[in-house]
Amino acid sequence: MSNTSNPALTELRIAIAYVKLSSIPEDISQASVSLASIGDCEIRMFRGPEVDFDGTPLFWLELFDHSTKTSLDGIGCHKIKDAAPIFEDFISQADRLKHTRSGRRR
């Protein structure tokens, strides 16, 4: 992953993941698609709870730490364009955590 952010490429990556997520049958609970892995962290997209009103997010992004098996951050996204800065923030969080942990292992 490059350190330079390209919003159009980020939006394309998110759109592709959304198409993959949408193609997973709805009867599969907790369906998710991985967007990136950095160190022990994974950024993934998943469906939110099915609710019948206009405020329902299109999808959720989550920053998940596999070493602690916990969600570090997550947010509902209503538009792909709005998800791009969230994805970039999750990349930064995961990168900082990776560098913090690699510093402790020395």
Side-chain angles (χ1 to χ4, degrees):
M1 182 128 271
S2 113
N3 288 336
T4 8
S5 173
N6 182 329
L9 289 178
T10 300
E11 288 176 28
L12 178 61
R13 180 182 214 162
I14 293 167
I16 290 168
Y18 181 70
V19 168
K20 288 180 184 176
L21 182 65
S22 297
S23 69
I24 298 172
E26 289 187 25
D27 59 342
I28 296 177
S29 64
Q30 297 300 317
S32 68
V33 173
S34 180
L35 286 140
S37 291
I38 301 164
D40 293 331
C41 293
E42 179 181 15
I43 300 168
R44 54 192 181 187
M45 175 188 289
F46 61 95
R47 290 186 197 122
E50 297 296 322
V51 181
D52 292 330
F53 62 89
D54 289 336
T56 304
L58 189 58
F59 56 87
W60 289 79
L61 290 182
E62 176 186 51
L63 176 60
F64 189 82
D65 185 343
H66 286 284
S67 69
T68 61
K69 305 219 183 308
T70 58
S71 176
L72 301 177
D73 206 345
I75 191 161
C77 302
H78 296 274
K79 297 178 184 175
I80 289 171
K81 185 175 189 86
D82 297 339
I86 296 163
F87 176 78
E88 293 296 336
D89 178 58
F90 286 2
I91 292 281
S92 295
Q93 288 184 55
D95 198 42
R96 282 192 302 273
L97 188 59
K98 176 184 170 185
H99 289 298
T100 301
R101 287 180 178 164
S102 66
R104 282 191 262 157
R105 291 181 185 148
R106 292 180 185 172

